[in-house]
């Protein structure tokens, strides 16, 4: 079963005539979704990559591009701030993502919530997908959804510049941030991933917390010994775990980037006596490079390993939803403006009616449930 979309990097922009229609249709879909499922139900669906991708396809965005995340999430955020539906969104792409804490404070004030737990959660999910789970993708988009009851969801996306591919991370009301915390991950599966938040990495996390209580100088010496091996030198005193090809392992780490320790972050860990993996990930200065270095030391010195399986998910394909109004890049056909306007007009009338009259939407769903799109019309944009 293939992924929802490959999420390749696309240039260009949404034309004004289409953006206007997208905003109207996004608002109507959100009104109907909250009316039908409540705010928590909406957040559950936004954190489902199939539902989110279907939403993107229905409003006419490219079915397979990296922009399907940024444009759709942006449209949803804008609509939630224009309407009072009991749920708001913070963050966005690039600079907007860095405004998330301030926007969460505004939302918390509106809904009479304590903002600090959500600001911490925002920082933590970003750290997990940047540091604790490394697959070669750099985060550049982060949107945090929060409802009046305190339920939350996060959609964030990373980009692999070398391969020009994106990966989308979905979160929903996670009870733990360090053991299989994602609701789903959409994108292409890689051969391996440095995954330190797998259920199989509990021993790894425990050992790492013990190791960072050592003096940073000791960890640095161990790392230098391992770097010497990569250059063909073998230290006089060196413990090699059984069945470990250290050169192949070093090459694997190098493929993810440099491994350099941030000494100050390690000093913070000792000073604060960090006792759990969440606190460790939130340390100031802890980045992907430092965790790679520590992980390498754990594997080749302490014989403790992370999980190397890429946790990307393979949900069903919602491409059939592109047949609603067409696609921006003309797949499966160019945007049908008259059909788009008629759909908006129909839904505007629908949302103004009594609840019992909305059963029509459910009946349409039953009719189209088993419809299959023509495979030959699905192609990369």
């Amino acid at each position: 079963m293939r992924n929802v979309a490959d999420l390749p990097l696309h240039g260009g922009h949404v034309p004004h005539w289409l953006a206007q229609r997208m905003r109207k249709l996004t608002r109507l879909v959100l009104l109907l979704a909250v009316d039908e499922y409540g705010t928590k139900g909406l957040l559950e669906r936004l954190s489902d990559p199939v539902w989110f991708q279907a939403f993107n396809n229905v409003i006419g965005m490219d079915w397979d591009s990296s922009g399907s995340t940024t444009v759709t999430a942006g449209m949803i955020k804008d609509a939630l701030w224009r309407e009072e539906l009991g749920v708001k969104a913070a963050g966005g792409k690039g600079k907007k993502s860095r405004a998330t804490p301030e926007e969460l404070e505004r939302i918390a004030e509106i809904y009479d919530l304590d903002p600090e737990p959500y600001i911490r959660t925002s920082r933590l999910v970003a750290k997990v997908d940047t540091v604790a789970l490394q697959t070669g993708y750099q985060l550049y988009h982060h949107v945090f959804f929060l409802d009046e009851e305190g339920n939350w969801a996060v959609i964030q996306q990373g980009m692999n510049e070398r391969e020009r591919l994106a990966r989308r991370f979905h979160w929903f009301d996670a009870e733990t941030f360090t053991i299989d915390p994602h609701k789903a991950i959409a994108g292409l599966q890689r051969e391996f991933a440095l995954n330190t938040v797998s259920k199989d990495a509990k021993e790894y996390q425990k050992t790492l917390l013990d190791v960072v209580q050592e003096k940073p100088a000791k960890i640095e010496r161990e790392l230098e010994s391992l770097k010497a091996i990569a250059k063909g030198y073998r230290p006089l005193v060196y413990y090699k775990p059984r069945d470990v090809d250290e050169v192949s392992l070093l090459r694997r780490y190098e493929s993810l980037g440099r491994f350099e320790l941030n000494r100050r972050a390690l000093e913070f860990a000792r000073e604060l006596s960090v006792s759990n993996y969440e606190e460790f990930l939130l340390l100031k200065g802890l980045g992907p490079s430092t965790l790679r270095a520590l992980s390498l030391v754990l594997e080749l010195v302490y014989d403790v390993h992370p999980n190397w399986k890429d946790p990307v998910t393979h949900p069903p394909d919602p491409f059939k939803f592109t047949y609603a109004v067409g696609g921006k890049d003309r797949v499966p056909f160019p945007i049908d403006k008259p059909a788009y306007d008629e759909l908006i007009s129909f839904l505007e009338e629908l949302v103004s009616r009594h609840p019992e009259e909305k059963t029509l939407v459910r009946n349409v769903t039953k009719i189209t449930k088993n419809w299959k799109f023509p495979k030959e019309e699905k192609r990369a944009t």
Side-chain angles (χ1 to χ4, degrees):
M1 190 179 294
R2 67 172 283 113
N3 297 332
V4 172
D6 297 348
L7 301 178
L9 176 62
H10 284 183
H13 65 282
V14 179
H16 181 66
W17 62 264
L18 178 55
Q20 284 184 312
R21 289 172 170 84
M22 281 182 172
R23 290 189 182 93
K24 291 179 180 178
L25 185 52
T26 295
R27 169 184 171 272
L28 292 166
V29 172
L30 292 173
L31 283 168
L32 288 167
V34 171
D35 183 57
E36 183 74 19
Y37 307 113
T39 57
K40 184 177 181 180
L42 173 64
L43 296 182
E44 286 181 301
R45 284 159 178 78
L46 290 174
S47 63
D48 180 331
V50 176
W51 198 90
F52 181 85
Q53 195 72 31
F55 194 133
N56 163 84
N57 295 354
V58 163
I59 65 174
M61 187 56 193
D62 304 336
W63 74 270
D64 68 335
S65 77
S66 60
S68 67
T69 304
T70 56
V71 171
T72 304
M75 291 287 175
I76 293 171
K77 178 186 177 182
D78 182 64
L80 292 176
W81 277 102
R82 290 174 183 273
E83 295 283 335
E84 187 43 70
L85 299 179
V87 57
K88 303 286 186 190
K93 178 181 176 183
K95 292 181 180 179
K96 292 180 180 178
S97 67
R98 294 191 283 276
T100 303
E102 292 78 13
E103 290 182 331
L104 283 175
E105 288 180 350
R106 287 176 57 198
I107 297 170
E109 184 177 359
I110 292 170
Y111 296 143
D112 194 24
L113 299 169
D114 178 4
E116 291 308 316
Y118 305 106
I119 293 172
R120 182 181 186 275
T121 294
S122 173
R123 290 180 58 217
L124 193 50
V125 299
K127 270 296 189 81
V128 167
D129 290 338
T130 303
V131 179
L133 174 61
Q134 298 187 34
T135 52
Y137 293 84
Q138 180 63 42
L139 286 186
Y140 70 99
H141 174 269
H142 173 94
V143 174
F144 194 110
F145 300 92
L146 179 61
D147 78 358
E148 58 192 354
E149 297 173 356
N151 301 300
W152 61 271
V154 172
I155 297 175
Q156 54 189 10
Q157 183 160 281
M159 179 63 67
N160 185 313
E161 293 287 352
R162 182 171 59 83
E163 298 180 0
R164 297 176 65 81
L165 289 173
R167 171 171 292 205
R168 188 168 65 234
F169 305 89
H170 292 259
W171 295 72
F172 174 72
D173 273 357
E175 294 181 2
T176 173
F177 296 87
T178 58
I179 303 295
D180 292 338
H182 298 90
K183 178 74 177 291
I185 301 174
L188 286 179
Q189 188 166 37
R190 299 178 67 87
E191 181 183 357
F192 60 84
L194 176 57
N195 183 0
T196 71
V197 289
S198 162
K199 66 178 184 300
D200 299 322
K202 292 179 181 179
E203 183 184 358
Y204 168 95
Q205 294 179 11
K206 181 178 181 298
T207 305
L208 184 144
L209 293 174
D210 291 338
V211 168
V212 296
Q213 297 308 315
E214 303 273 1
K215 291 182 179 179
K218 180 177 184 295
I219 302 173
E220 286 175 331
R221 285 195 302 270
E222 291 171 336
L223 182 63
E224 289 305 313
S225 295
L226 299 177
K227 287 182 177 180
I229 295 171
K231 297 176 182 177
Y233 302 103
R234 189 168 295 278
L236 293 176
V237 180
Y238 169 64
Y239 165 69
K240 175 186 174 182
R242 289 180 301 171
D243 303 322
V244 171
D245 180 350
E246 66 263 57
V247 175
S248 297
L249 193 60
L250 284 161
R251 295 291 178 263
R252 177 177 287 188
Y253 276 95
E254 287 173 344
S255 72
L256 291 172
R258 298 169 56 204
F259 37 93
E260 299 290 341
L261 291 171
N262 183 328
R263 189 185 182 105
R264 188 61 187 136
L266 297 182
E267 290 170 349
F268 278 139
R270 290 192 76 209
E271 291 170 7
L272 299 173
S273 298
V274 172
S275 60
N276 64 67
Y277 201 47
E278 285 187 15
E279 292 177 7
F280 174 75
L281 291 175
L282 288 172
L283 284 172
K284 184 178 180 180
L286 177 70
S289 178
T290 294
L291 189 74
R292 283 195 293 270
L294 288 169
S295 188
L296 183 59
V297 169
L298 259 62
E299 291 217 67
L300 288 180
V301 177
Y302 296 90
D303 198 17
V304 176
H305 311 280
N307 185 303
W308 281 99
K309 184 178 179 181
D310 188 353
V312 73
T313 16
H314 295 279
D317 190 343
F319 184 73
K320 73 176 185 178
F321 292 95
T322 59
Y323 289 83
V325 296
K328 180 175 75 70
D329 277 2
R330 308 172 72 86
V331 176
F333 52 82
I335 296 291
D336 186 335
K337 293 182 183 178
Y340 209 138
D341 293 338
E342 188 175 346
L343 175 62
I344 289 172
S345 178
F346 171 79
L347 292 179
E348 284 177 337
E349 183 177 350
L350 183 67
V351 297
S352 66
R353 294 187 176 187
H354 296 295
E356 59 270 16
E357 295 180 290
K358 296 177 184 176
T359 55
L360 175 63
V361 174
R362 301 189 191 98
N363 292 332
V364 170
T365 301
K366 293 175 184 177
I367 294 169
T368 62
K369 184 178 181 180
N370 296 319
W371 179 78
K372 305 294 184 183
F373 62 85
K375 297 289 184 181
E376 65 276 8
E377 293 192 30
K378 182 176 184 180
R379 59 191 186 275
T381 56

